């Protein structure tokens, strides 16, 4: 029998994060709902925006495009990512998302398992307007 109560989290409750370019809202996390195996959120990518290239040394990333036209670079190779499509990105694979359409794109993301510490979970390999100039293999939370 479970001892933890379920928690419903609205996207508007999650703080906006633009450190990696486009708007990220991390919604279901160890802090927000007691998650122990990963975390989930929503990326809102406006036309012309991107999520800068990065990789996750401890986690697989699962994404699902709800709306809009995205292109994902996987280890430098571009792939279209359309609404109603999902993708699993393996541990340590470099990836970047770009909105290549003329409307807002929305993408659900889930990462798991969790890194030993949040600051170890995301390694940026390029800078964005929000994060400043590129620093090779800069670790950010």
């Amino acid at each position: 029998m479970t001892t933890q109560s379920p928690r419903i989290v609205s996207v508007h409750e999650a703080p906006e994060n633009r450190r990696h370019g486009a708007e990220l809202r991390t919604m279901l996390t160890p802090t927000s709902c007691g998650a122990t195996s990963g975390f989930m959120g929503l990326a809102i990518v406006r036309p012309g925006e991107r999520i800068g290239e990065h990789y996750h040394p401890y986690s697989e990333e699962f994404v699902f495009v709800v709306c809009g036209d995205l292109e994902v670079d996987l280890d430098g190779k571009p792939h279209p990512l359309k609404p109603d499509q999902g993708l699993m990105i393996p541990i340590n694979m470099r990836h970047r998302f770009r909105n290549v359409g003329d409307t807002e794109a929305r993408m659900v993301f889930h990462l798991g398992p969790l890194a030993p510490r949040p600051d170890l979970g995301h390694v940026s390999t390029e800078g964005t307007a929000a994060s400043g100039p590129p620093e090779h293999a800069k670790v950010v939370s």
Side-chain angles (χ1 to χ4, degrees):
M1 176 163 295
T2 185
T3 59
Q4 188 172 352
S5 297
R7 172 122 172 11
I8 296 173
V9 178
S10 167
V11 69
H12 303 293
E13 292 177 63
E16 179 179 331
N17 173 352
R18 288 190 162 270
R19 288 183 301 227
H20 310 297
E23 178 180 343
L24 302 177
R25 301 273 180 153
T26 307
M27 300 169 59
L28 302 175
T29 68
T31 304
S32 72
C33 67
T36 60
S37 64
F39 62 92
M40 190 276 299
L42 178 69
I44 302 169
V45 189
R46 292 171 184 83
E49 285 187 333
R50 67 184 167 98
I51 299 169
E53 187 184 78
H54 62 283
Y55 65 92
H56 307 285
Y58 296 93
S59 307
E60 296 173 327
E61 183 169 4
F62 300 84
V63 299
F64 177 79
V65 179
V66 177
C67 63
D69 292 317
L70 293 171
E71 192 166 80
V72 58
D73 296 331
L74 301 171
D75 282 341
K77 184 176 177 188
H79 302 272
L81 201 52
K82 303 289 185 187
D84 296 333
Q85 290 185 323
L87 168 68
M88 191 281 289
I89 302 168
I91 291 172
N92 285 323
M93 179 173 276
R94 292 178 296 114
H95 53 287
R96 155 194 316 113
F97 297 94
R98 292 185 309 280
N99 184 331
V100 295
D102 55 3
T103 61
E104 177 182 277
R106 288 184 171 233
M107 178 180 71
V108 175
F109 60 88
H110 175 272
L111 281 87
L114 294 169
R117 295 189 331 250
D119 63 318
L120 298 177
H122 179 109
V123 180
S124 290
T125 55
E126 70 180 358
T128 63
S131 68
E135 294 180 38
H136 183 65
K138 177 175 116 180
V139 176
V140 293
S141 59

